[in-house]
Amino acid sequence: KKVWCRMRENKCEPIVETTGGHARHPYEKKARNGNVTIVDNQYYRIITITMANLQAKDSGTYSCA
C-alpha cells in the first residue's frame, strides 16, 4: 500500500492511498482523491503521483509513505 501525504507539524495527513489492483492489470494499483492521483505499477516498480490544478493554498511539504 502506498500513501501520498501532506506534512503538517511533522505528521503525515493522508490525501490518497492505493487500494487493490484492477482485474485487467492486477500489478497496478490506482487511486484518486480530487486533484491527486497515485498509480503504483508493481510490475515496473514505478510510482506516479499527479497533482493537477494546483493553487497557492496547496503549497507545502508532501511525502509518500
Side-chain angles (χ1 to χ4, degrees), residues 1-4 16-22 24-32 36-50 64-65:
K1 179 163 121 172
K2 307 296 187 300
V3 180
W4 185 243
V16 66
E17 60 187 62
T18 58
T19 56
H22 300 284
R24 187 185 269 180
H25 303 287
Y27 55 84
E28 185 174 274
K29 297 179 180 180
K30 184 186 254 185
R32 182 177 180 169
V36 182
T37 303
I38 184 171
V39 179
D40 178 11
N41 186 310
Q42 297 173 338
Y43 183 81
Y44 291 109
R45 297 178 182 243
I46 297 172
I47 298 168
T48 305
I49 298 164
T50 305
C64 55

